């Protein structure tokens, strides 16, 4: 059994903060389910783990700070499934905290060159009988359908739902099952303006394709890039709301939500839900003392 606690998921109302702008914000706290198998990663993995039941092993892909690797390694440890992570780039002298944790959870790490990683080919040495291959980040229709279940945890109705976007699987899932009248807004954390739309649309049925909004101005230079204004925002957001965020995904999503609200993007009487997709484990790779929360 997996120690994920979906009963810990709750909706928090950010009371009064944006009243002047006519916006009511709620936060869906998916970060409270599990420290490693956190947030959207659990939802995306569900279908794959189900398939893995009759398999002997699982193999997946990720970078040095990947929450997907962290979540997959821990989930596989808990269900007793041998797991291999194909990791982008040469093996560093010192493993990132994320990779150290993954290795401690029993995941075998195999480092491949960036070029080989791009091709997503499985090194011969890792090929085995009966292994389930999970795409990077849980991307795919299975991941999308898992993420679609997030909607069943909503306690109120919303005019807008906002989430961070990596592969876009989570946004696709939200878009898939949200009511027609709800606008889904994605905040890409990578510089991928040219490709991300087609990747998201590939996961969606015809009638849902393109029916979401992407705001590309909040990636802070690209994946895992940050600056002092992002860190200052994350600290002040924690000070005001007591909600911790991570610098790769949710910090950027909340920054974007705050900025869009303050700049008058949302009409009055907006009921906005921001999904806290988890990922807090990633903050251990920041220099100590940057964040006021641990
Ligand atoms: C992976 C991740 C995302 C992005 O999810 P996608 O489905 O790949 O778009 C968002 N937030 C957190 C915390 C994540 O770990």
């Amino acid at each position: 059994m997996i120690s994920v606690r979906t009963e810990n998921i709750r909706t928090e109302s950010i009371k009064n903060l944006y009243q002047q702008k006519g916006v009511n914000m709620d936060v869906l706290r998916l970060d409270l389910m599990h420290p490693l198998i956190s947030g959207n990663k659990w939802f995306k993995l569900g279908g794959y783990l189900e398939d893995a039941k009759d398999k002997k092993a699982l193999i997946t892909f990720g970078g040095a700070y990947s929450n997907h690797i962290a979540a997959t390694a821990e989930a596989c440890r808990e269900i007793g499934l041998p797991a291999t992570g194909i990791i982008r780039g040469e093996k560093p002298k010192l493993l990132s905290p994320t990779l150290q944790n993954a290795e401690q959870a029993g995941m075998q790490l195999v480092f491949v060159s960036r070029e080989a990683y791009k091709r997503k080919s499985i090194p011969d040495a890792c090929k085995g009988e009966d292994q389930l291959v999970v795409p990077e980040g849980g991307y795919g229709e299975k991941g999308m359908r898992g993420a679609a279940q997030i909607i069943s945890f909503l306690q109120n109705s919303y005019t807008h739902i906002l989430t961070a976007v990596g592969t876009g699987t989570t946004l696709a899932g939200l878009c898939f099952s949200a009511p027609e009248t709800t606008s889904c807004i994605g905040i890409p954390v990578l510089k991928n303006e040219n490709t991300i739309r087609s990747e998201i649309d590939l996961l969606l049925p015809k009638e849902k394709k393109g029916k979401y909004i992407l705001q590309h101005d909040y990636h802070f230079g690209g994946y895992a890039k940050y600056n002092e204004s992002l860190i200052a925002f994350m600290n002040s957001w924690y000070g005001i709301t007591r909600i911790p965020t991570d610098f790769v995904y949710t910090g950027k999503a909340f920054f974007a939500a705050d900025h869009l609200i303050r700049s008058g993007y949302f009409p009055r009487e907006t009921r906005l839900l921001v999904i806290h997709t988890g990922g807090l484990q990633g903050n251990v790779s920041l220099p100590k003392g940057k964040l006021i929360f641990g």
Side-chain angles (χ1 to χ4, degrees):
M1 262 304 279
I2 293 222
S3 61
V4 168
R5 299 257 168 279
T6 47
E7 65 272 25
N8 287 359
I9 295 174
R10 61 167 191 256
T11 302
E12 268 169 41
S13 158
I14 308 302
K15 286 205 186 72
N16 304 331
L17 191 58
Y18 301 115
Q19 210 169 37
Q20 263 198 345
K21 295 285 181 189
V23 175
N24 235 309
M25 187 201 281
D26 281 357
V27 177
L28 187 68
R29 298 285 307 269
L30 301 182
D31 57 310
L32 302 171
M33 297 154 53
H34 191 287
L36 290 172
I37 315 174
S38 88
N40 63 341
K41 294 298 181 286
W42 164 247
F43 286 95
K44 290 196 287 181
L45 271 175
Y48 293 107
L49 293 178
E50 194 61 35
D51 286 357
K53 277 192 176 141
D54 350 298
K55 302 279 182 179
K56 291 208 179 71
L58 182 153
I59 189 160
T60 194
F61 302 83
Y65 302 100
S66 163
N67 292 324
H68 169 70
I69 290 289
T72 307
E74 180 61 17
C76 287
R77 183 186 71 78
E78 291 192 15
I79 61 175
L81 185 69
T84 301
I86 310 288
I87 310 298
R88 183 191 324 117
E90 262 172 51
K91 183 172 183 174
K93 283 212 181 72
L94 189 64
L95 290 185
S96 68
T98 304
L99 294 183
Q100 283 178 34
N101 281 335
E103 208 169 56
Q104 265 161 31
M107 182 179 261
Q108 184 199 0
L109 303 179
V110 178
F111 293 83
V112 299
S113 72
R114 282 165 194 274
E115 296 72 50
Y117 186 88
K118 251 194 200 140
R119 293 192 298 274
K120 297 289 173 333
S121 57
I122 295 171
D124 284 341
C126 303
K127 285 188 182 136
E129 291 272 291
D130 253 0
Q131 61 186 4
L132 180 76
V133 180
V134 178
E136 177 184 42
Y139 175 82
E141 198 186 322
K142 222 177 266 305
M144 183 281 281
R145 286 184 180 273
Q149 292 171 16
I150 294 170
I151 294 290
S152 68
F153 289 85
L154 270 48
Q155 294 182 337
N156 304 307
S157 72
Y158 297 97
T159 56
H160 300 76
I161 299 180
L162 182 147
T163 188
V165 168
T167 65
T169 309
T170 304
L171 179 66
L174 295 170
C175 193
F176 183 75
S177 57
E180 260 326 286
T181 50
T182 303
S183 306
C184 295
I185 305 172
I187 309 299
V189 303
L190 288 90
K191 271 198 213 166
N192 56 4
E193 225 158 321
N194 299 329
T195 50
I196 186 70
R197 251 186 195 281
S198 57
E199 282 160 16
I200 296 174
D201 283 343
L202 213 55
L203 303 176
L204 286 169
K206 223 202 229 133
E207 68 278 12
K208 295 275 183 181
K209 284 188 202 300
K211 293 210 169 150
Y212 51 85
I213 298 154
L214 295 174
Q215 293 290 347
H216 281 288
D217 294 335
Y218 302 100
H219 55 62
F220 287 83
Y223 183 72
K225 298 276 199 309
Y226 64 94
N227 63 19
E228 289 314 312
S229 100
L230 179 64
I231 301 293
F233 171 80
M234 290 165 65
N235 281 329
S236 107
W237 184 253
Y238 181 77
I240 296 166
T241 64
R242 297 284 128 187
I243 297 176
T245 53
D246 77 293
F247 75 101
V248 181
Y249 293 101
T250 55
K252 294 178 183 180
F254 282 101
F255 183 102
D258 179 79
H259 188 260
L260 288 168
I261 294 171
R262 290 184 193 283
S263 53
Y265 173 81
F266 294 101
R268 300 199 79 80
E269 300 192 18
T270 286
R271 295 185 310 279
L272 169 67
L273 180 72
V274 180
I275 313 281
H276 193 314
T277 41
L280 298 172
Q281 67 88 24
N283 285 340
V284 290
S285 62
L286 283 176
K288 273 207 170 36
K290 274 215 177 283
L291 297 173
I292 60 173
F293 47 95

